[in-house]
Amino acid sequence: MTSRRNGTAVASATVLALTLAACGGGPGDGDAAADGPVTWMAMLHTPTTPEKDGVIETALEEHTGTAFDVQWVPDASKEEKMNAALASGELADIVSLTQTDSTTVRTALTSGMFWDVEDYLADFPNLSQIDPVTLDSARIDGELYGVPFQKIKARYGVVVRQDWLDKLGLEVPHTIEDLTKVAHAFAHDDPDGNGKDDTTGFYDREESFKVGFRSLSGYFGAGSQFEVSDDGQVVPTFTTDAYKDAMEWYRGVYEDGGVNQEFVTVQKQNQQDGIAQGKGGIVVTGLFEAKNYLALAESADPETPMEWALVNDMTYEDVPRRILTDTGGGMGGWLGIPKSEVESEEELKKVLGFIDKLMDEEAFGLMTNGVEGEHYEVDGEGVVTVTDQTAWEQEVQPFASSRPSEKVVTYKSTTPYVDEGNELMAENEEYVITNPAQSLTSKTYDSRWSTIEQQVTDSYNQYITGAIEMADFEAKIESLRGQGLDQIIEEFTAAYDEVNG
């Protein structure tokens, strides 16, 4: 991404993820980077691939001065294709690796199969401006084995029903203390005015531990999954006092009726439907979601009174303002460049130059909106509107996932919540808290973490719903120490000391 940190897709654009996939040509087929088109493995999230030599591909080739060949693979087969391609070495000049926590991917990156691009970025106008936090998050044990896909670093906040606040005479909350009062009022004071006891404050879902509550815990001072303790250890945040303080607070809100009582069984789609139906008035989520909730509500009732307040500056007591990253520190994976396909520094620089030009505003616009007059129009206010949705979906949308950066340009939207959300997400960048373990390696983490995390998730759910007490939660953590947790801490700490020593 460039240093112009104001980019996100036009409102209707679907943010797609590139990943590794097998391609038709084998290694060394003509050294494409040197004397043929640059080949690129890309995952497809749309029903059909864009036409070969279509309008967007042709325009991008003209802008970059580079012929390229995208080898699209359906998203549904990404893991199978990734494993097969890495095992066989059947790779392209650029391999889009977006499964950031995949052991297979990380092992391949650290095996010497891909170029370390760190020393070359400074030679390119856009690559040299990649955000340092994103670079830190993209390194593995101190090495940068690809150009990071760059995303907004922290998109979360708290969205609150503004019309309910107005009805109850309440102000928009900006502290945990005020948020607690709002949750109580939404649960007990009939904010929708229908005379029924059918509303709550927070409307959470079964992924509370990993999503909504995780973000809330950050306001209390907890880290982003892992953090460096005062004694220099890299520890899971659920072992910290700040995290447990947040748990005790959230349980109190739950006991008061300020959280939907059945949240442990609510799926994401059920959560969205419940919010649209007015069952709850507080959601910890991406700041871009308010427009989606409103759209869902309007589809059922065009006269819905729903209005949202978007809050990105929630604080707790004397803890400085902060927000946990929800995008891996703004890092959505790597554009890996295999040494088997790109064999010399000269070829590497050609490929990096191509990636760099894809970060230009013109290329970003092509991959996001398409061609003006053909796919979209811009009014006098600078608002971008897709005019031919079918053409956009067929010709432009597949390329949206190929953008090395989502942050090049912010386009004005016809929806005010989109513009407000974009502005607040940009503000979040200054206060983001990232995961120090993301860029480190622990073999025990790779083999045991999913089992450990599931047990902690279960204990979290039991504690919040009153089935167990904090002493029981702490006892569960202690029992996990001998099941790999302490070994993970030891290995991450050693890796951290190695990189930062």
Side-chain angles (χ1 to χ4, degrees):
M1 283 165 236
T2 70
S3 59
R4 299 180 291 276
R5 297 182 203 163
N6 54 350
T8 139
V10 64
S12 59
T14 300
V15 176
L16 308 175
L18 281 175
T19 193
L20 175 64
C23 65
D29 282 359
D31 289 335
D35 49 33
V38 170
T39 56
W40 190 347
M41 291 181 176
M43 187 172 64
L44 185 72
H45 283 257
T46 54
T48 59
T49 60
E51 181 183 356
K52 175 63 180 167
D53 297 324
V55 59
I56 302 304
E57 182 179 323
T58 299
L60 288 172
E61 287 182 335
E62 291 176 356
H63 175 77
T64 62
T66 303
F68 67 96
D69 178 18
V70 181
Q71 299 153 358
W72 303 102
V73 172
D75 174 58
S77 59
K78 64 182 179 183
E79 187 168 357
E80 173 192 351
K81 296 292 186 181
M82 176 179 66
N83 292 339
L86 288 173
S88 67
E90 298 286 324
L91 303 169
D93 301 327
I94 302 172
V95 180
S96 295
L97 302 158
T98 59
Q99 293 176 297
T100 58
D101 58 352
S102 165
T103 301
T104 301
V105 169
R106 293 173 73 93
T107 299
L109 286 170
T110 58
S111 70
M113 185 183 297
F114 293 88
W115 283 91
D116 183 338
V117 301
E118 182 94 42
D119 293 340
Y120 302 93
L121 301 184
D123 297 335
F124 301 92
N126 295 321
L127 295 176
S128 63
Q129 299 301 311
I130 296 175
D131 188 288
V133 172
T134 299
L135 287 177
D136 284 344
S137 299
R139 294 187 182 97
I140 300 179
D141 296 329
E143 307 297 328
L144 189 64
Y145 297 109
V147 176
F149 279 107
Q150 298 148 83
K151 304 169 73 69
I152 297 165
K153 294 199 290 291
R155 304 173 301 175
Y156 267 50
V158 181
V159 298
V160 185
R161 283 287 295 263
Q162 180 67 63
D163 55 314
W164 288 10
L165 292 171
D166 293 342
K167 185 171 182 61
L168 299 178
L170 299 170
E171 298 295 323
V172 175
H174 294 279
T175 67
I176 289 293
E177 292 81 1
D178 287 341
L179 187 62
T180 308
K181 296 174 184 176
V182 169
H184 175 86
F186 282 3
H188 300 288
D189 297 345
D190 192 21
D192 58 4
N194 68 356
K196 300 177 181 179
D197 183 15
D198 59 357
T199 59
T200 188
F202 291 91
Y203 204 79
D204 208 345
R205 68 176 192 255
E206 65 167 356
E207 293 176 294
S208 176
F209 175 80
K210 289 187 177 182
V211 183
F213 176 77
R214 187 173 84 84
S215 188
L216 285 169
S217 72
Y219 300 130
F220 287 74
S224 182
Q225 297 175 279
F226 283 80
E227 59 189 84
V228 181
S229 64
D230 291 339
D231 61 357
Q233 293 193 85
V234 179
V235 300
T237 58
F238 56 68
T239 65
T240 66
D241 290 340
Y243 190 91
K244 288 181 277 190
D245 287 346
M247 285 178 61
E248 290 175 344
W249 163 76
Y250 202 52
R251 171 162 158 165
V253 178
Y254 178 88
E255 291 175 339
D256 183 53
V259 181
N260 54 315
Q261 300 294 285
E262 78 295 353
F263 79 88
V264 294
T265 63
V266 174
Q267 303 290 320
K268 182 175 182 179
Q269 185 60 56
N270 302 130
Q271 181 193 38
Q272 293 174 333
D273 292 341
I275 294 162
Q277 294 161 9
K279 293 182 178 180
I282 305 171
V283 196
V284 184
T285 188
L287 291 161
F288 48 81
E289 288 285 10
K291 69 177 176 63
N292 299 325
Y293 299 148
L294 179 59
L296 278 172
E298 288 178 335
S299 67
D301 176 13
E303 303 302 317
T304 178
M306 179 182 285
E307 294 180 10
W308 291 98
L310 279 56
V311 182
N312 74 330
D313 60 352
M314 192 67 63
T315 57
Y316 173 68
E317 294 186 347
D318 59 352
V319 178
R321 179 176 170 184
R322 63 213 303 278
I323 184 71
L324 304 186
T325 181
D326 65 295
T327 59
M331 202 284 290
W334 302 268
L335 291 156
I337 304 174
K339 294 177 181 177
S340 61
E341 309 303 307
V342 180
E343 298 179 356
S344 68
E345 283 194 339
E346 180 183 359
E347 295 171 22
L348 173 64
K349 290 178 180 178
K350 175 183 176 180
V351 173
L352 289 173
F354 169 66
I355 295 172
D356 184 80
K357 288 183 180 297
L358 291 179
M359 297 186 204
D360 290 343
E361 289 188 19
E362 181 179 339
F364 180 83
L366 287 166
M367 300 171 85
T368 304
N369 304 324
V371 177
E372 186 173 1
E374 191 168 335
H375 301 103
Y376 73 97
E377 62 183 20
V378 183
D379 67 15
E381 300 288 315
V383 174
V384 174
T385 303
V386 172
T387 53
D388 189 333
Q389 186 71 23
T390 300
W392 181 86
E393 289 176 358
Q394 293 176 347
E395 298 171 357
V396 184
Q397 188 176 10
F399 285 94
S401 64
S402 304
R403 299 171 303 171
S405 167
E406 293 178 11
K407 300 165 64 175
V408 177
V409 180
T410 298
Y411 301 106
K412 289 186 179 179
S413 169
T414 54
T415 305
Y417 285 135
V418 172
D419 292 335
E420 183 182 359
N422 287 339
E423 180 181 341
L424 296 180
M425 289 187 290
E427 286 181 8
N428 277 349
E429 300 264 309
E430 181 179 348
Y431 303 99
V432 70
I433 303 297
T434 58
N435 174 9
Q438 179 176 311
S439 60
L440 304 174
T441 299
S442 160
K443 290 184 177 180
T444 308
Y445 175 91
D446 293 342
S447 63
R448 303 299 302 276
W449 181 252
S450 61
T451 300
I452 290 172
E453 188 176 48
Q454 185 57 58
Q455 293 185 63
V456 178
T457 300
D458 292 342
S459 293
Y460 162 83
N461 287 338
Q462 291 170 343
Y463 174 78
I464 298 299
T465 57
I468 64 173
E469 300 304 319
M470 181 55 71
D472 302 306
F473 178 81
E474 293 175 333
K476 169 57 68 174
I477 302 303
E478 289 305 308
S479 74
L480 292 171
R481 292 190 179 279
Q483 300 178 41
L485 182 57
D486 276 348
Q487 189 67 23
I488 290 170
I489 293 171
E490 181 179 330
E491 290 171 6
F492 272 147
T493 301
Y496 181 84
D497 290 342
E498 178 71 22
V499 172
N500 296 281

